[in-house]
């Protein structure tokens, strides 16, 4: 910022080479707003141009060097001064000197490692950004451009169901089952609750999804719990032998993949909380952790194959089995 | 070869329910009525008792039906015992109404019909809330309150 009309200043603009084709996604900012950012994956190259536009034509811009950095950092809100950089790359664009006119510099960060997913949470933020800097004696001129990184996984090899019997001795025994332990973000939780013993007066039952963000280490560990979803699965009093189905579509909720001990700084974990409420508003609950992962977009199969799968589900008959194999043949 | 994009949302297999379980009486039957207030005694030594009748099929209670007479201070005793011995948050009792016990009132004080009815309803709500609590059901004092003829204040506190 120059307070005097003499001297030169400049505006920096960072433009990606694939700005036209690269997908943008919405990401929450710290103050809760949702903005759109370019989406990158691990290993992708980040390349573009830095446009330096001189504000006062005719005057020269003296500088101590122009560079661009690609930074991945974790910022803990209770320790704002310290940014933990886990990725830090720099490219020099210009050696110290003078700029007589506006200029454009190319840059390329080839196959950049982006090991973690971008995350803006209650007490911690992980972000990736490009930062172009014109170094000067008194004050630098800086421009930052945030990008969002998603980490993708494939279907886990091992994905056992969660099945457990819990209860209070002689009062309430239930067996709950969830079809998987690892769910992708657009998955469906299919499960059931089987009542073995009911000696209390249950009014209703719900399943909650709880997100727990853990920051800090050792004695300074802090957990922030947030109930992302509450979904009633039963209204009324069950008796012994009753099975209550669960079908909870995850795509409707704003969730991230499970993040465990990211750079030893924070974790984000998800839990299913099964809650039974009795007539006197007493709550009985059982919490179970689930792993969430992000699936990459896949090519859609032909409509006929999808329709055949759907019909088999409802009829389960030989005719729909035939339709299924027929559609599969058409596909292959 | 890619996997199906339509998720499998079919229900998980479950055991069919026994019809006697489905249509038989539920295992959680517990009803307690507090009624028939009777004022006993004369003058300054009067007090009101209420009938506490319980019907249940919970195995933890020795008697499936019981009927006892209790007064307000008995309910207070139960509340104190539970607060001391168990970890539960005990629901509130209807008020002690000390103002009503002062002299020179225009009405019958604590023997006023409307007050007794209000108190009766509060005591009924209190005892039902407590008796249905799985942890309170383990306490000796609750069983003595509901099913013993009289309360032995020198009893040995403990779990059933």
């Amino acid at each position: 910022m120059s307070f005097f009309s003499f001297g030169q200043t400049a505006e920096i603009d960072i433009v990606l080479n694939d700005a036209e084709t690269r997908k943008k996604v919405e990401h929450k900012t710290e103050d809760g707003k949702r903005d759109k950012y370019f989406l990158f994956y691990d290993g992708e190259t980040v390349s573009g141009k830095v446009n330096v536009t001189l504000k006062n034509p005719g005057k020269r811009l003296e500088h101590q060097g122009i560079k661009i950095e690609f930074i991945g950092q974790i910022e803990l809100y209770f320790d704002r001064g310290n940014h933990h950089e886990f990725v830090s790359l720099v490219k020099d664009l210009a050696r110290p000197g003078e700029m007589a006119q506006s200029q454009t510099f190319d840059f390329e960060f080839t196959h950049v490692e982006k090991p973690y997913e971008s995350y803006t949470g209650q007490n911690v933020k992980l972000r990736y950004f490009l930062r172009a800097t014109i170094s000067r004696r008194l004050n630098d001129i800086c421009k930052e451009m945030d990008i969002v990184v998603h980490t993708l996984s494939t279907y886990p090899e091992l994905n056992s169901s969660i099945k457990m019997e819990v209860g209070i001795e002689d009062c309430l025994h239930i067996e709950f089952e969830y079809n998987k332990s690892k769910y992708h973000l657009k998955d469906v939780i299919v499960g059931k609750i089987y009542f073995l013993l009911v000696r209390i007066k249950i009014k209703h039952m719900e399943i909650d999804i709880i997100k727990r963000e853990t920051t800090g280490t050792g004695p300074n560990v802090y957990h922030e719990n947030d109930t992302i979803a509450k979904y009633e699965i039963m209204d009324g009093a069950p008796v012994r032998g009753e099975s209550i189905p669960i079908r909870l579509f995850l795509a409707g909720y704003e969730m991230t993949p499970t993040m465990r001990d990211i750079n030893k700084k924070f974790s984000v974990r998800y839990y299913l909380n099964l809650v039974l409420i009795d007539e006197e508003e007493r709550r009985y609950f059982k919490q179970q952790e689930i792993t969430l992962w992000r699936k990459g977009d896949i090519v859609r199969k032909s409509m006929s194959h999808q329709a055949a799968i759907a019909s088999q589900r409802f009829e389960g008959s030989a005719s729909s089995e035939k339709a299924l194999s027929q559609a599969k043949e058409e596909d292959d | 070869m890619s996997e199906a994009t339509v998720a499998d949302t079919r229900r998980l297999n479950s055991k069919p329910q026994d019809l006697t379980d489905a249509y038989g009486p539920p295992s959680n039957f517990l009803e307690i009525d507090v009624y028939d207030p009777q004022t006993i005694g004369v003058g300054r030594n009067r007090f009101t008792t209420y009938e506490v009748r319980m019907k249940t099929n919970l195995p933890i209670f020795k008697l499936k039906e019981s009927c006892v007479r209790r007064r307000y201070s008995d309910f207070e005793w139960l509340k104190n015992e539970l607060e001391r011995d168990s970890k539960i948050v005990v629901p509130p009792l209807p008020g002690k109404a000390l103002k009503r016990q002062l002299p020179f009132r225009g009405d019958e004080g604590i023997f006023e019909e409307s007050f007794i009815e209000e108190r009766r309803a509060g005591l009924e709500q209190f005892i039902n809330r407590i008796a249905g609590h799985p942890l309170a059901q383990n306490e000796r004092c609750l069983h003595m309150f509901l099913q013993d003829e009289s309360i032995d204040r020198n009893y040995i506190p403990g779990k059933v």
Side-chain angles (χ1 to χ4, degrees):
Chain A
M1 236 184 335
S2 51
F3 293 103
F4 304 100
S5 55
F6 48 87
Q8 177 60 286
T9 186
E11 234 173 50
I12 308 177
D13 193 24
I14 306 173
V15 180
L16 296 178
N17 284 338
D18 50 10
E20 300 287 302
T21 51
R22 184 164 287 278
K23 190 163 166 230
K24 276 189 150 185
V25 287
E26 269 190 15
H27 192 78
K28 210 167 47 145
T29 60
E30 215 180 299
D31 46 13
K33 284 202 310 234
R34 298 181 68 79
D35 279 331
K36 283 191 157 231
Y37 301 94
F38 285 109
L39 174 65
F40 281 86
Y41 299 106
D42 187 16
E44 284 194 299
T45 292
V46 184
S47 66
K49 299 182 191 317
V50 177
N51 300 323
V52 179
T53 313
L54 300 180
K55 287 297 245 335
N56 303 324
K59 297 231 181 80
R60 290 167 176 276
L61 176 75
E62 269 183 45
H63 64 86
Q64 259 72 55
I66 306 180
K67 67 179 180 199
I68 183 158
E69 298 168 278
F70 180 84
I71 303 198
Q73 77 180 26
I74 297 172
E75 190 183 309
L76 293 157
Y77 296 172
F78 58 75
D79 187 20
R80 293 270 188 184
N82 294 325
H83 294 165
H84 305 274
E85 291 180 3
F86 54 89
V87 172
S88 182
L89 304 170
V90 63
K91 294 259 187 260
D92 285 318
L93 298 176
R95 281 182 309 186
E98 272 184 1
M99 261 178 75
Q101 59 204 23
S102 301
Q103 234 181 312
T104 293
F105 303 93
D106 288 299
F107 70 88
E108 180 176 297
F109 293 102
T110 323
H111 300 312
V112 188
E113 219 186 275
K114 304 175 207 72
Y116 311 120
E117 175 150 326
S118 296
Y119 175 71
T120 303
Q122 298 278 75
N123 299 297
V124 60
K125 183 159 71 171
L126 188 152
R127 59 188 270 246
Y128 294 86
F129 58 98
L130 287 160
R131 180 168 61 206
T133 310
I134 303 173
S135 302
R136 298 203 297 180
R137 247 200 322 270
L138 288 176
N139 51 353
D140 296 344
I141 304 171
C142 242
K143 182 74 196 269
E144 282 184 6
M145 184 180 113
D146 272 56
I147 60 156
V148 163
V149 172
H150 282 175
T151 52
L152 301 178
S153 303
T154 49
Y155 279 95
E157 264 169 42
L158 214 61
N159 200 351
S160 50
S161 65
I162 301 172
K163 191 168 178 175
M164 241 185 253
E165 205 184 290
V166 293
I168 300 173
E169 194 73 33
D170 294 330
C171 268
L172 174 69
H173 287 184
I174 60 166
E175 186 191 77
F176 69 87
E177 187 179 343
Y178 306 128
N179 62 335
K180 302 182 201 174
S181 34
K182 299 173 188 154
Y183 292 93
H184 61 81
L185 297 179
K186 308 242 184 295
D187 215 333
V188 190
I189 299 177
V190 175
K192 70 177 209 288
I193 310 294
Y194 179 74
F195 288 90
L196 293 150
L197 180 70
V198 191
R199 292 215 181 112
I200 55 170
K201 294 181 190 172
I202 296 172
K203 196 166 64 166
H204 69 98
M205 178 165 65
E206 68 185 40
I207 193 158
D208 301 344
I209 302 178
I210 297 179
K211 170 180 157 191
R212 180 174 302 164
E213 182 191 280
T214 304
T215 47
T217 50
N220 301 321
V221 169
Y222 181 69
H223 300 291
E224 181 94 37
N225 291 327
D226 187 21
T227 303
I228 304 240
K230 271 179 191 254
Y231 191 71
E232 186 179 88
I233 55 173
M234 177 187 83
D235 182 20
V239 291
R240 176 171 53 204
E242 206 122 33
S243 270
I244 304 297
I246 297 169
R247 190 181 287 132
L248 182 52
F249 290 84
L250 297 178
Y253 304 108
E254 218 176 88
M255 297 187 298
T256 70
T258 293
M259 301 180 195
R260 288 203 175 90
D261 206 25
I262 299 300
N263 206 232
K264 300 210 209 311
K265 295 273 172 290
F266 72 94
S267 295
V268 181
R269 302 169 93 127
Y270 291 88
Y271 300 84
L272 287 181
N273 200 26
L274 182 70
V275 187
L276 292 97
I277 296 127
D278 74 11
E279 303 235 319
E280 299 295 344
E281 304 298 327
R282 286 180 283 257
R283 299 163 69 89
Y284 308 77
F285 64 91
K286 174 76 185 119
Q287 221 176 73
Q288 195 60 40
E289 185 176 0
I290 52 168
T291 301
L292 294 182
W293 55 278
R294 186 183 289 280
K295 187 159 75 105
D297 290 330
I298 58 168
V299 177
R300 295 180 64 82
K301 296 210 76 170
S302 70
M303 281 313 290
S304 60
H305 195 168
Q306 285 190 7
I309 293 174
S311 73
Q312 185 190 40
R313 208 158 291 143
F314 286 110
E315 295 160 42
S317 63
S319 63
S320 49
E321 292 239 11
K322 196 159 156 244
L324 184 66
S325 54
Q326 235 171 31
K328 201 163 169 297
E329 272 170 29
E330 282 166 32
D331 243 16
D332 299 342
Chain B
M1 177 66 208
S2 53
E3 70 285 350
T5 53
V6 180
D8 187 355
T9 57
R10 284 175 295 184
R11 289 191 183 186
L12 300 182
N13 291 328
S14 47
K15 299 173 252 225
Q17 188 180 27
D18 192 309
L19 289 180
T20 51
D21 284 336
Y23 294 103
S27 327
N28 60 2
F29 181 64
L30 172 67
E31 264 174 27
I32 304 179
D33 294 313
V34 174
Y35 66 108
D36 188 29
Q38 299 286 350
T39 304
I40 303 177
V42 285
R44 278 213 217 114
N45 299 320
R46 283 181 294 171
F47 62 93
T48 309
T49 63
Y50 305 82
E51 185 163 304
V52 179
R53 181 189 295 186
M54 177 166 123
K55 288 201 180 99
T56 186
N57 66 0
L58 297 181
I60 197 160
F61 291 105
K62 256 197 245 144
L63 303 173
K64 297 306 156 220
E65 274 190 36
S66 66
C67 194
V68 295
R69 286 215 84 96
R70 298 284 179 251
R71 55 186 292 188
Y72 183 83
S73 55
D74 293 333
F75 283 83
E76 275 188 313
W77 169 87
L78 176 64
K79 181 169 195 275
N80 290 332
E81 293 298 298
L82 290 171
E83 276 173 346
R84 189 194 64 222
D85 291 341
S86 76
K87 297 191 191 77
I88 64 186
V89 175
V90 185
L93 275 174
K96 265 183 89 74
L98 291 169
K99 270 212 269 195
R100 282 185 174 264
Q101 292 180 47
L102 295 173
F104 309 121
R105 285 183 66 96
D107 59 15
E108 290 290 300
I110 56 168
F111 302 106
E112 186 69 34
E113 248 185 69
S114 59
F115 170 73
I116 288 181
E117 174 50 33
E118 223 181 86
R119 182 173 265 197
R120 183 209 66 77
L123 293 175
E124 192 173 76
Q125 190 180 68
F126 170 83
I127 193 64
N128 272 292
R129 214 179 262 186
I130 269 298
H133 198 303
L135 292 180
Q137 285 170 3
N138 289 335
E139 297 293 328
R140 187 83 203 79
C141 54
L142 179 71
H143 291 259
M144 188 160 71
F145 179 94
L146 286 171
Q147 308 207 308
D148 286 7
E149 184 72 38
S150 54
I151 293 174
D152 174 12
R153 297 200 176 204
N154 297 317
Y155 85 119
I156 300 161
K159 311 268 186 264
V160 296

